[in-house]
Amino acid sequence: MNDKKTAIVGTPCQILAATKINEYDEQTGGSPIDLKIGLFCMENFSYTYLKKFLEDNNINLKDVEGFKIEENKFKVFLKNDNPFIVPLSATESFKRKNCDICTDYTSDISDISVGSLGSPKGWSTVIIRTEKGKEILEDAEKEGYFETKHLTDGGKGLLEKIASKKKKDNLNNIMEREVVSRPVLYKRRIADDEIEKISYQCQFENLESDVISEGACVLCGACEYVCPTNIIQIDDRKPQKYGNCEEDCHACYFACPRTYLSKNIMSDDLENKPLGDYLDIISVKSNKIEGQDGGAVTSILMYLLNKKLVDDVFIVGEDEEIPWKPISKLTSDVQEVIDAAGTKYSTAPIGFKALKN
């Protein structure tokens, strides 16, 4: 790879894909991703089925101003009306089913994790996991990008409770799925040398049978990104292959976040740590923007670009023609980062496409 540096903002599965791509750079070609900012994530939504759910409730996405999940409710804020609020359980009809086997709530292998749970209204909860993340947060605070305070014991307790619940519930989902289907590979604990041995025997056909056809594909786009002959494509649907794999190429299988995980990437003991490994947990409020839930992510990205610590950042914008349709993109424009602030709540199905383009 060249010397270009990119910061990625992503859900736990996207962060895991980014980690695997660089861990197995000899097989995948690597990536310029230098900093990983993970998002708290309980589940993700299908844009198509979210749109249908709203239409069934007489809501047009053009009239939606924003979404938010809080107090066990799914809230849709409308431009000219009262918010539409339903119990979180009502989102089952448009929740992506692969989320049922993810046990990572707080993006445990990122440099910095960010979410709203645990902090007061208008603040973000930030989990600092690496020395690189710690240095960035400390310097950005000194530069006045945001203010910080300690997370309360009550806030940390709530965060641990929700993270533990996701781990427990989805481990049960994995066991139930394996009764009627094939093993969920990324939760199979086998020796690291066995992982490499198996992966070196696998190409896209194996990825298709082991992950895609099993309902475990997260649509991150890692397979498309690492394919050296560009025959894998994701266009608002599951990965498809158009052509023949290059002989002795195993890039997609190594990169996928739902194939085997080595202990070097995700250690066994993380399953017993609700919030993963970390250096500190704080609450953050931006001094630069009036952002959703404290604006921490936007402020961090602004700092990285302004200080030229990265060349560009990975954001999720919105399709200009289709309301609330998430589009992944790379940008070095601070104003574009500000404009993209706020959670889209549905999957950006081709996340790594922007990086490849």
Side-chain angles (χ1 to χ4, degrees):
M1 300 302 298
N2 57 33
D3 293 331
K4 184 177 180 180
K5 291 184 178 181
T6 296
I8 183 175
V9 178
T11 58
C13 51
Q14 293 168 337
I15 295 297
L16 181 53
T19 304
K20 291 190 73 177
I21 288 170
N22 283 350
E23 177 70 20
Y24 296 116
D25 58 348
E26 290 187 9
Q27 294 81 18
T28 67
S31 83
I33 294 171
D34 184 64
L35 182 76
K36 297 175 293 185
I37 303 174
L39 302 174
F40 297 179
C41 182
M42 182 61 72
E43 60 211 5
N44 220 320
F45 301 139
S46 159
Y47 177 84
T48 300
Y49 291 108
L50 169 61
K51 181 171 180 282
K52 182 180 185 305
F53 173 81
L54 294 176
E55 288 174 346
D56 289 345
N57 286 277
N58 300 312
I59 297 173
N60 190 314
L61 274 170
K62 291 181 179 179
D63 299 324
V64 174
E65 196 164 63
F67 300 94
K68 194 163 189 177
I69 294 175
E70 62 181 1
E71 300 167 344
N72 211 32
K73 302 253 188 336
F74 180 66
K75 301 181 179 181
V76 183
F77 297 95
L78 305 174
K79 294 176 181 176
N80 300 307
D81 207 346
N82 293 325
F84 173 71
I85 302 174
V86 295
L88 193 56
S89 58
T91 64
E92 282 295 319
S93 65
F94 51 92
K95 184 177 81 171
R96 299 198 69 242
K97 301 310 177 189
N98 66 71
C99 296
D100 286 344
I101 59 171
C102 173
T103 60
D104 184 356
Y105 176 63
T106 59
S107 294
D108 294 347
I109 56 173
S110 55
D111 293 293
I112 302 166
S113 300
V114 184
S116 61
L117 190 71
S119 286
K121 189 176 180 64
W123 291 71
S124 301
T125 299
V126 175
I127 304 177
I128 304 169
R129 301 192 183 279
T130 65
E131 290 295 336
K132 181 190 294 185
K134 180 180 179 182
E135 183 178 349
I136 288 169
L137 265 293
E138 289 178 347
D139 290 348
E141 183 180 13
K142 290 176 185 175
E143 292 280 343
Y145 279 79
F146 42 71
E147 57 184 292
T148 69
K149 61 183 180 181
H150 291 294
L151 190 72
T152 66
D153 290 341
K156 183 182 177 184
L158 177 61
L159 191 56
E160 289 178 336
K161 178 182 177 181
I162 297 301
S164 295
K165 186 177 189 308
K166 179 175 181 178
K167 287 183 185 290
K168 179 181 177 181
D169 289 351
N170 287 359
L171 282 172
N172 287 335
N173 289 337
I174 288 171
M175 289 188 288
E176 290 178 6
R177 182 181 288 204
E178 291 183 341
V179 170
V180 296
S181 187
R182 300 175 66 182
V184 175
L185 295 190
Y186 94 114
K187 285 298 173 185
R188 297 295 91 195
R189 288 308 184 189
I190 61 176
D192 286 1
D193 59 345
E194 278 295 301
I195 289 174
E196 291 211 12
K197 181 179 177 182
I198 293 171
S199 298
Y200 270 120
Q201 298 171 353
C202 295
Q203 293 190 303
F204 182 83
E205 286 76 10
N206 306 97
L207 184 70
E208 191 169 38
S209 62
D210 291 345
V211 176
I212 300 169
S213 298
E214 289 299 308
C217 174
V218 299
L219 290 177
C220 66
C223 57
E224 181 184 49
Y225 173 68
V226 301
C227 180
T229 53
N230 300 317
I231 61 173
I232 300 175
Q233 295 179 24
I234 306 175
D235 294 300
D236 287 334
R237 57 184 300 186
K238 295 175 181 178
Q240 304 286 312
K241 181 169 73 77
Y242 300 93
N244 296 318
C245 290
E246 200 173 66
E247 187 176 351
D248 202 34
C249 175
H250 322 282
C252 62
Y253 206 86
F254 273 98
C256 177
R258 289 296 177 259
T259 55
Y260 297 102
L261 287 184
S262 73
K263 296 178 181 65
N264 193 39
I265 292 174
M266 185 172 283
S267 61
D268 290 340
D269 65 349
L270 280 187
E271 217 62 88
N272 300 315
K273 298 177 180 179
L275 308 182
D277 292 319
Y278 59 88
L279 302 177
D280 199 5
I281 307 179
I282 57 177
S283 290
V284 170
K285 184 177 182 180
S286 175
N287 292 328
K288 298 291 185 180
I289 64 163
E290 293 276 338
Q292 181 175 324
D293 297 327
V297 171
T298 303
S299 290
I300 294 168
L301 296 182
M302 291 170 64
Y303 170 78
L304 292 171
L305 290 174
N306 285 335
K307 294 297 179 179
K308 302 189 184 308
L309 297 178
V310 297
D311 297 286
D312 47 29
V313 299
F314 197 121
I315 61 172
V316 177
E318 194 175 328
D319 191 294
E320 294 180 1
E321 305 293 329
I322 308 173
W324 289 97
K325 176 76 171 182
I327 299 292
S328 291
K329 59 174 70 174
L330 284 176
T331 186
S332 57
D333 186 337
V334 171
Q335 186 57 51
E336 195 166 23
V337 171
I338 295 171
D339 292 342
T343 307
K344 305 302 184 292
Y345 282 109
S346 52
T347 304
I350 42 179
F352 284 90
K353 189 185 286 288
L355 197 59
K356 187 157 192 168
N357 293 341

